[in-house]
Amino acid sequence: MSSKPSHTQHSGTGLQLNQSATSQILRREYKKKEKRFIKYYNIDEPRQFAADRAVGNMHEHMAPILALFFAAMFACMYNGTSSANVSYAMWLYTFGRIIYLPIFKANASPGGIRPGLLIATTPCYLAQGYLIYVVLTAFA
């Protein structure tokens, strides 16, 4: 097994780096204004909120997608079928994770999240649905 990080790990690391950089930038801005900066659960600062939600959303979905991925790969081995479509589904999922942050920033507002966020979440849910299908049909 390769020790190289997967594409999903790279997108997660990027989101975490963005979260950290955003908080450091905001901390300096607030210090210049002589205001107190709150890093965690800061819904008053849209940039920090977007960075936090991107990381939080990634962590919320990490366990289910990895469990489904490994179950689908096992199902392919069990059936003797190609796992190429499972890999494509994971690439689709990764695409959704990568575009989540800019789409969230464009669709978050004080009144809530606008439907445009579906642009980023739909690929992820399609990938998860396909992996569930692979697992369920393998043992039917």
Side-chain angles (χ1 to χ4, degrees):
M1 189 160 168
S2 174
S3 63
K4 289 173 62 177
S6 71
H7 51 275
T8 305
Q9 289 171 321
H10 285 304
S11 66
T13 302
L15 291 174
Q16 291 168 329
L17 288 173
N18 174 71
Q19 180 186 36
S20 180
T22 299
S23 67
Q24 294 305 315
I25 290 167
L26 290 171
R27 187 179 312 278
R28 285 192 289 271
E29 288 178 11
Y30 274 63
K31 190 174 184 179
K32 286 179 185 176
K33 297 177 191 176
E34 297 182 2
K35 291 174 75 179
R36 183 171 176 255
F37 174 69
I38 299 170
K39 180 177 179 178
Y40 299 103
Y41 307 108
N42 187 347
I43 60 172
D44 297 325
E45 178 54 60
R47 292 176 289 174
Q48 186 66 46
F49 181 64
D52 290 345
R53 277 310 310 140
V55 171
N57 192 272
M58 180 196 61
H59 286 166
E60 290 164 5
H61 289 266
M62 187 75 66
I65 193 66
L66 289 176
L68 285 170
F69 170 67
F70 288 116
M73 293 300 280
F74 177 76
C76 290
M77 289 179 3
Y78 178 80
N79 278 346
T81 58
S82 172
S83 61
N85 288 341
V86 172
S87 295
Y88 298 143
M90 287 304 290
W91 278 108
L92 179 65
Y93 180 83
T94 302
F95 171 74
R97 295 287 91 211
I98 290 170
I99 65 170
Y100 184 86
L101 180 60
I103 298 291
F104 185 91
K105 285 181 177 180
N107 288 280
S109 70
I113 304 299
R114 293 190 298 262
L117 190 61
L118 292 172
I119 295 167
T121 56
T122 299
C124 297
Y125 291 127
L126 288 174
Q128 289 174 339
Y130 176 74
L131 296 177
I132 291 169
Y133 169 79
V134 169
V135 171
L136 293 178
T137 58
F139 305 106

